[in-house]
Amino acid sequence: APYEALAVNILIFGLFALGFNLLLGYTGLLSFGQAAFFGLGAYGCGIGIVHGQMPPLLAILVGTLAAVAGAAVIGIMAIRTRGIYFAMVTLALGQCVYMLVFQADAWTGGENGLRGIGVSNINLGLFQVNLVNPVEKFLFVLFFVALGFAAVARILASPFGMTLEAIRENESRVVASGYDVQATKWLAFVLAGTVCGLAGALYALHLAIVPVDIVSYTNSGLVVILALLGGINTLFGPFIGAAVFLVLEDVVSHFTVHGQFIVGILIVVLVLFFPRGIWGSAVTKLDRM
């Protein structure tokens, strides 16, 4: 990446897209509400530090648990629907979370966002992490992203992960085999929300503020683009998608104010020539060799 702060963003949004990909790529559920869990993780972490005076590690845990709680409640309502109705329900419920955050300005800062999350040092016992140092911040975030990545990889390699893929391919056959599909989809929804919440908590520490627009539907749309660009149904694809999109956005913005238009054209070209995503197409080609 051109600089460390952008590299940290790639890690965080790659983890965010990985959580979304657990739903779309492996379970076949298209959600337009993942920004709600990303935002709950960020606000949970930020509120824990600003209002609760919590140490950063505890605040990360609180933010992640806030996302787990939100995903558990929203998942109960969302999994009752299928297809486009599931997408619309998650979009609507995600916007409900946005309005709650927007109105609770005493805790969240409202439209001004939550400020004052200025964490400079994290005491880990034997040593301290200086978050002002960009390299140390990168390594700190990388550690948690690696934990999230390893956890998702382990889940997908388990019988539960195989059940998720079976639901994606033929839900009726899974029901006929005696599995509780509704409970399995709900658990997948909660696990995806957990990963997105962890990404949000790390984002709050990275920015030192939590802007309210990270809970909006535009952020949910962004994570869809990142996952599709890198390749759904792949573990590493979301990080490739995040890297390509964010680096392109950063580089193009230095040359023109119409950067979003140019990045959009480039994404269309990439999707046309790499229908499985960049990483997905590369893996498919290597498998055929």
Side-chain angles (χ1 to χ4, degrees):
Y3 47 91
E4 292 90 342
L6 181 57
V8 173
N9 273 339
I10 290 170
L11 286 178
I12 292 172
F13 279 91
L15 184 64
F16 182 23
L18 179 63
F20 167 78
N21 204 31
L22 186 60
L23 280 182
L24 178 61
Y26 291 93
T27 317
L29 299 174
L30 175 59
S31 169
F32 282 126
Q34 294 308 106
F37 314 126
F38 186 78
L40 285 172
Y43 274 107
C45 179
I47 289 171
I49 292 172
V50 175
H51 297 293
Q53 305 301 311
M54 294 179 184
L57 294 181
L58 179 58
I60 291 174
L61 176 61
V62 169
T64 306
L65 290 177
V68 171
V73 173
I74 290 176
I76 290 173
M77 295 178 277
I79 62 167
R80 298 173 183 271
T81 57
R82 294 183 180 183
I84 190 63
Y85 301 104
F86 176 86
M88 292 299 99
V89 167
T90 54
L91 174 63
L93 294 174
Q95 285 302 103
C96 290
V97 174
Y98 172 82
M99 288 307 302
L100 287 173
V101 169
F102 188 84
Q103 295 295 331
D105 54 351
W107 287 91
T108 65
E111 63 180 345
N112 295 318
L114 180 63
R115 302 174 182 272
I117 317 171
V119 177
S120 56
N121 288 288
I122 298 177
N123 188 359
L124 298 179
L126 296 177
F127 59 93
Q128 288 192 344
V129 177
N130 180 11
L131 292 186
V132 178
N133 184 309
V135 175
E136 290 190 32
K137 178 192 282 188
F138 173 83
L139 294 174
F140 176 79
V141 172
L142 177 62
F143 173 77
F144 283 97
V145 171
L147 283 181
F149 182 88
V152 171
R154 180 66 188 88
I155 289 168
L156 294 175
S158 69
F160 176 76
M162 297 176 187
T163 305
L164 295 183
E165 295 192 58
I167 291 173
R168 180 195 66 200
E169 297 299 327
N170 194 324
E171 184 176 330
S172 299
R173 183 172 294 177
V174 177
V175 173
S177 299
Y179 288 91
D180 189 338
V181 170
Q182 292 296 91
T184 304
K185 290 198 293 187
W186 177 81
L187 185 53
F189 195 89
V190 173
L191 290 172
T194 303
V195 177
C196 294
L198 175 59
L202 295 173
Y203 194 59
L205 287 178
H206 174 47
L207 284 188
I209 63 170
V210 182
V212 69
D213 59 354
I214 70 169
V215 196
S216 71
Y217 67 91
T218 55
N219 210 29
S220 291
L222 172 62
V223 76
V224 176
I225 292 173
L226 300 184
L228 291 174
L229 188 58
I232 62 172
N233 199 24
T234 65
L235 269 172
F236 202 61
F239 293 93
I240 297 296
V244 170
F245 182 88
L246 295 177
V247 170
L248 275 176
E249 187 179 50
D250 182 79
V251 171
V252 171
S253 66
H254 285 83
F255 300 100
T256 175
V257 295
H258 305 294
Q260 290 291 334
F261 176 77
I262 295 174
V263 170
I265 295 296
L266 291 174
I267 289 175
V268 170
V269 172
L270 287 171
V271 170
L272 288 175
F273 287 96
F274 300 95
R276 295 178 180 269
I278 298 170
W279 184 251
S281 298
V283 170
T284 302
K285 187 173 182 179
L286 288 172
D287 287 342
R288 290 174 179 173
M289 293 177 64

